[in-house]
């Protein structure tokens, strides 16, 4: 059952739409390199489309009714948007769920040190990474520093042309004979992923501080530029990510290369589908979460009560809250866990089973299950639900394919699907194929981006 390349079916008008979508997507990636930045961009787009913050809408005292569009945010890192439908909430919602966190390096709480007249920031990697991929590249610092007086300083260094970048060194090839004998997992150790941030010593120092003159100069710059002290690192969230803008990839410009496409490619297309939805029968929901890359834990991960509490608040504002109504609304919902799939890479064909692999350009990917080895840790969608989704995609002439995450016993992975399934709702993984997933730069097909947005919009309308 080989699937046709989606590009072969496009008319000129389709290709214009593909390029328009790709341009706006690249812009989203450039402005959303952290989960906080993504939420800012999402709120801006949602409010421009007529969405109102849920608590503000509820405080107006008019109640929430069919046609209303609301959103709610927690800790500036997780967001849920709702477009209230005509059917009662007990009939369930149509939900698109994706994550907006991506693998990266996090700056430690006590990070700054100097060695051999070089100043560094110590880091701890976040999510699954091949550590050797993150060295000898231009890097940027994104995040916030929260000060004791309550002020929060936004940090973004390395993205403007006039900005400096930061850097992680690697051992020169001339001296790396021993290093290259190591296994890939240990060629670069986690504790060696430290960020080079300075080499210029501060001249006017007392004798006891002269041994750390470069470090002191970095602190001087931070104080003068951001009014922050060394101790403020204790309450900072600073993320080290690849510097630079998303780019067209390939001489035919058919692909996009960028940081963080897992899973912002699905988050962005889900968001657009939600914002473009009109007059829904069932309530539509777009849930964009944090912490998926480290197990969906914490107050802003899918395992938190954020989503459940948000639905409860919505029901209360609609004047129909009860525990039973909440349970029915969740259980009767249908969800696409909008997360990426591993794209088949001919350079590493031995890792894939070709009949059940995702191919770039062949449309959105359905993963009936994920997990590892014997489907461990996976949601496994019901056959009836798979048939329903197939029917919707065929009805709207959406290019789609099915896949598994590589050969059996080669590894595996998971998404937020199994967590949503705990409510008893129907869930299936559905996303875009990615090459070099979790690398500093990942690659996707513009055709798959386009088909994903169409698929998510069709699902919200028909599921």
């Amino acid at each position: 059952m080989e699937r046709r390349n989606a590009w072969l079916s496009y008319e000129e008008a389709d290709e214009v739409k593909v390029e328009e979508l790709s341009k706006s997507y690249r812009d989203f990636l450039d402005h959303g390199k952290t989960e906080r930045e993504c939420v800012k961009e999402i709120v801006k787009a949602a409010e421009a489309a007529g969405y109102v913050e849920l608590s503000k809408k509820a405080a107006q005292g008019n109640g929430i009714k069919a046609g209303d569009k609301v959103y709610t945010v927690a800790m500036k890192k997780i967001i849920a948007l709702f477009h209230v439908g005509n059917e009662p909430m007990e009939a369930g919602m149509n939900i698109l769920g994706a994550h907006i966190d991506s693998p990266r390096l996090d700056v430690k709480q006590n990070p700054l040190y100097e060695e051999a007249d070089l100043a560094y920031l110590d880091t701890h990697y976040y999510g699954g990474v091949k550590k050797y991929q993150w060295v000898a590249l231009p890097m940027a610092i994104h995040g916030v520093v929260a000060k004791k007086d309550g002020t929060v300083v936004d940090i973004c260094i390395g993205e403007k042309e006039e900005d400096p970048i930061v850097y992680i060194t690697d051992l020169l090839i001339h001296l790396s004979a021993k290093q290259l004998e190591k296994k890939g997992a240990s060629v670069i150790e986690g504790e060696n992923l430290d960020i080079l941030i300075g080499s210029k010593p501060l001249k006017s120092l007392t004798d006891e501080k002269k041994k750390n003159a470069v470090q002191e100069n970095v602190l001087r710059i931070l104080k003068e530029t951001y009014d922050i002290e060394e101790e403020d690192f204790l309450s900072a969230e600073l993320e080290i990510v690849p510097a630079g803008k998303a780019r067209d990839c390939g001489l035919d410009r058919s692909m996009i290369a960028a940081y963080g496409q897992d899973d912002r490619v699905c988050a962005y297309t889900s968001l657009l589908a939600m914002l473009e939805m009109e007059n829904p029968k069932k309530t539509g929901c777009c849930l964009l979460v944090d912490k998926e890359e480290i197990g969906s834990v914490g107050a802003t991960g899918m395992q938190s009560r954020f989503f459940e509490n948000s639905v409860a608040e919505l029901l209360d504002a609609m004047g129909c809250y009860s525990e039973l109504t909440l349970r029915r609304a969740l259980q009767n919902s249908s969800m696409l866990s909008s997360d990426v799939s591993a794209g088949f890479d001919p350079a590493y064909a031995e890792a894939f089973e070709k009949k059940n692999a995702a191919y770039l350009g062949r449309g959105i990917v359905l993963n009936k299950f994920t997990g590892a080895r014997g489907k461990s840790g996976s949601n496994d969608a019901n056959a009836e639900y798979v048939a329903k989704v197939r029917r919707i995609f065929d009805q709207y002439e959406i290019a789609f394919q099915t896949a598994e995450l590589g050969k059996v016993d080669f590894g595996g992975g998971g998404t937020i699907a199994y967590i949503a399934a705990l409510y008893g709702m129907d869930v299936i993984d559905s996303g875009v194929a990615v090459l070099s997933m979790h690398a500093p730069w990942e690659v996707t097909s513009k055709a798959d981006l386009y088909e994903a947005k169409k698929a998510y919009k069709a699902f919200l309308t028909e599921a």
Side-chain angles (χ1 to χ4, degrees), residues 23 179 267 302 406 425 463:
K23 186 178 184 300
Q179 181 195 40
M302 187 63 194
M425 67 176 71

Side-chain angles (χ1 to χ4, degrees), residues 398-418:
I398 290 155
F400 76 93
Q401 53 187 317
T402 60
E404 298 180 13
L405 187 58
K407 283 183 177 177
V408 177
D409 287 340
F410 260 62
T415 67
I416 64 172
Y418 77 97

Side-chain angles (χ1 to χ4, degrees), residues 120-138:
Y120 295 88
L121 290 178
D122 205 355
T123 70
H124 192 138
Y125 62 91
Y126 172 98
V129 299
K130 290 182 175 180
K131 297 184 283 291
Y132 65 80
Q133 293 180 329
W134 290 72
V135 301
L137 294 172

Side-chain angles (χ1 to χ4, degrees), residues 107-119:
V107 174
K108 292 184 179 182
Q109 270 60 61
N110 187 19
L112 184 59
Y113 71 96
E114 179 177 337
E115 185 72 34
D117 295 336
L118 299 174

Side-chain angles (χ1 to χ4, degrees), residues 350-363:
E350 68 279 2
F352 299 88
E353 197 269 284
K354 289 185 178 181
K355 301 190 308 301
N356 291 285
Y359 293 84
L360 259 65
R362 298 189 189 179

Side-chain angles (χ1 to χ4, degrees), residues 147 153 155 157 200 202-205 215-230 232:
K147 300 168 66 175
V153 182
I155 304 290
I157 304 169
K200 185 178 180 179
L202 189 61
K203 293 179 181 177
S204 55
L205 287 172
Q215 177 178 325
E216 291 297 325
N217 195 38
V218 168
L219 290 171
R220 176 191 64 80
I221 293 168
L222 291 174
K223 179 65 177 176
E224 292 177 359
T225 308
Y226 301 104
D227 192 28
I228 56 178
E229 312 278 355
E230 183 174 10
D232 291 326

Side-chain angles (χ1 to χ4, degrees), residues 135-291:
V135 301
L137 294 172
M139 293 285 177
I141 305 175
H142 290 241
V144 296
V145 177
K147 300 168 66 175
K148 287 191 294 185
D149 64 5
T151 59
V152 177
V153 182
D154 288 315
I155 304 290
C156 183
I157 304 169
E159 299 296 353
K160 297 177 182 176
E161 268 192 39
E162 62 271 22
D163 280 357
I165 54 98
V166 293
Y167 188 81
I168 305 171
T169 60
D170 192 10
L171 184 62
L172 67 163
I173 185 65
H174 311 72
L175 301 178
S176 62
K178 291 289 186 184
Q179 181 195 40
L180 294 177
E181 291 175 0
K182 296 181 180 180
K183 291 184 178 180
S186 57
V187 167
I188 300 293
E189 301 286 351
E191 286 292 354
N192 287 341
L193 291 173
D194 291 354
I195 307 300
L196 180 63
I197 60 166
S199 67
K200 185 178 180 179
L202 189 61
K203 293 179 181 177
S204 55
L205 287 172
T206 57
D207 287 343
E208 66 269 19
K209 288 190 174 183
K210 281 182 179 177
K211 65 179 180 178
N212 292 322
V214 177
Q215 177 178 325
E216 291 297 325
N217 195 38
V218 168
L219 290 171
R220 176 191 64 80
I221 293 168
L222 291 174
K223 179 65 177 176
E224 292 177 359
T225 308
Y226 301 104
D227 192 28
I228 56 178
E229 312 278 355
E230 183 174 10
E231 196 167 278
D232 291 326
F233 281 116
L234 295 174
S235 50
E237 291 179 2
L238 297 174
E239 302 178 15
I240 308 301
V241 299
K245 293 185 176 183
R247 302 287 297 273
D248 280 351
C249 180
L251 298 184
D252 55 4
R253 297 181 178 270
S254 63
M255 297 167 286
I256 293 172
Y259 164 70
Q261 297 199 74
D262 175 12
D263 182 36
R264 291 166 191 150
V265 64
C266 296
Y268 183 67
T269 45
S270 295
L271 172 67
L272 289 189
M274 186 73 180
L275 299 185
E276 292 178 11
M277 182 174 58
E278 298 177 356
N279 303 317
K281 291 179 290 185
K282 284 188 175 182
T283 295
C285 173
C286 182
L287 175 63
L288 304 174
V289 304
D290 183 25
K291 299 293 189 288

Side-chain angles (χ1 to χ4, degrees), residues 89-90 92-93 311 315 325-333:
M89 284 285 286
E90 284 190 60
M93 297 168 283
V311 177
L315 289 169
T325 301
L326 173 62
R327 297 295 154 201
R328 286 173 175 167
L330 293 169
Q331 179 174 305
N332 293 330
S333 292

